[in-house]
Amino acid sequence: MSAPEPPGVAEFTEHRPLLFSIAYEILGSVADAEDVLSESWLRWQEGDRSEVENPRAYLARIVTRQALNAARASSRRRETYVGPWLPEPLESIAEDSGLDHVLSGEAVTTAMLLVLESLTPDERAVFVLREVFDFGYAEIADAIGKSQPAVRQIAHRARNHVRARRPAAVADPEDARAVAERFLTAAATGDLQELMDTLSPGVVYMGDGGGVVAAARRPIEGAARVARMATGLFAKAPTLGEVGMRMTVVNGMPSLVVTIDGDLDSVVSVEVMGEKVTAVYAVRNPVKLDGLR
């Protein structure tokens, strides 16, 4: 006879995909989001649920407050981060996989998460809850402990900030894949003309090694410089060992998962707008790759 299920499990399990997504959008880290969910589960299990009329809103409030605490702590750590900081890769999931998260589209892209990173923790939480998950102002006010008028002002400020920095949305992963594959094939074969044809003039390359492994310490901008970087990386890879590659979708973008001698080396995501590559994001920090191993 199986042991009885702990109280509150059914409600928490039902809303877990949403709760993880809220935490990840606020933090940009899979590991930190999982930590927030673990702490939130303890608070949910130990609290008095007898008068909870809306478990979804109640759990979202717990998770938001825990994520805000984590965001304030992580913002201080980011000040000493070595090189560019990129969000922890979040691989897309199959529709029949049990829904580990509910994020999709522009909300989860690296570019959007980098914009959200420039907001204050309160602005980020309000923007995420309102614009991504469509929570009401009263629910958001309760979640972050501010008045509704204050939340409306924060939402307006955050929305304007995001729109000013994200004037266009990235292409759908299916539409972007053909462009990404052209770019990666041209880089792998050293076809500079084809490579240049795929790149936007203002394309940017960002690498995140976290000071642990080698990566560009500053963003590389411009089609010619990014083309040289891309061909150089592909030319160097075989000298490091047996290279394995697979295409997938990470953070809403076609991405290449690279292994060296069977060990996960990097995740390279290709951002496409229209028919051009506008950014390349390479995450190499081993700590950020644990979720894909």
Side-chain angles (χ1 to χ4, degrees), residues 5 60 75 94 101-103 108 115 117 121 134 167 180 192 212 218 230 247 259 266:
E5 191 175 75
S75 65
H101 61 79
V102 298
L103 288 166
V108 75
V115 172
E117 190 70 15
D134 198 31
L192 285 176
V212 180
R218 295 182 179 179
M247 286 292 291
T259 59
S266 56

Side-chain angles (χ1 to χ4, degrees), residues 4-149:
E5 191 175 75
V9 167
E11 295 95 336
F12 194 90
T13 301
E14 176 186 356
H15 298 295
R16 191 184 192 285
L18 170 67
L19 302 177
F20 172 86
S21 298
I22 290 172
Y24 179 78
E25 280 286 292
I26 292 175
L27 296 167
S29 166
V30 174
D32 289 349
E34 291 290 0
D35 288 344
V36 163
L37 259 63
S38 296
E39 180 64 28
S40 298
W41 159 247
L42 292 176
R43 291 174 181 268
W44 166 252
Q45 188 180 40
E46 295 169 357
D48 181 7
R49 299 182 302 278
S50 61
E51 298 183 2
V52 175
E53 297 181 359
N54 187 340
R56 176 180 181 271
Y58 188 88
L59 284 165
R61 183 182 71 189
I62 295 174
V63 165
T64 298
R65 290 183 177 179
Q66 295 305 309
L68 277 172
N69 291 337
R72 293 179 181 117
S74 66
S75 65
R76 291 189 289 271
R77 293 198 303 270
R78 304 266 166 83
E79 293 176 0
T80 58
Y81 197 82
V82 178
W85 178 93
L86 293 174
E88 190 173 336
L90 184 65
E91 189 168 10
S92 294
I93 55 175
E95 292 182 0
D96 60 353
S97 66
L99 287 176
D100 293 331
H101 61 79
V102 298
L103 288 166
S104 63
E106 176 72 2
V108 75
T109 62
T110 297
M112 176 59 79
L113 291 169
L114 287 174
V115 172
L116 295 184
E117 190 70 15
S118 66
L119 300 175
T120 68
D122 281 350
E123 288 173 342
R124 184 165 183 167
V126 169
F127 182 88
V128 166
L129 292 175
R130 182 63 183 169
E131 301 298 324
V132 180
F133 299 107
D134 198 31
F135 277 76
Y137 287 112
E139 293 174 307
I140 299 171
D142 193 32
I144 71 168
K146 294 187 180 293
S147 67
Q148 287 192 53

Side-chain angles (χ1 to χ4, degrees), residues 12 28 45 86 94 113 160 165 173 181 214 257 269:
F12 194 90
Q45 188 180 40
L86 293 174
L113 291 169
N160 287 343
R165 288 159 178 77
E181 288 180 341
V257 178
S269 299

Side-chain angles (χ1 to χ4, degrees), residues 149-212:
V151 165
R152 289 179 183 274
Q153 289 181 349
I154 294 171
H156 178 74
R157 187 166 62 245
R159 191 161 48 242
N160 287 343
H161 179 98
V162 171
R163 286 176 178 171
R165 288 159 178 77
R166 293 296 297 157
V170 301
D172 178 90
E174 291 185 7
D175 297 332
R177 183 171 179 128
V179 178
E181 288 180 341
R182 280 182 61 205
F183 162 75
L184 293 168
T185 300
T189 59
D191 189 339
L192 285 176
Q193 185 57 57
E194 176 72 2
L195 192 54
M196 292 294 290
D197 288 344
T198 67
L199 297 174
S200 165
V203 64
V204 61
Y205 171 94
M206 295 179 68
D208 181 344
V212 180

Side-chain angles (χ1 to χ4, degrees), residues 275-291:
E275 296 296 322
K276 297 290 186 180
V277 174
T278 51
V280 180
Y281 304 105
V283 178
R284 298 201 65 226
N285 187 342
V287 174
K288 294 186 176 183
L289 299 177
D290 282 344

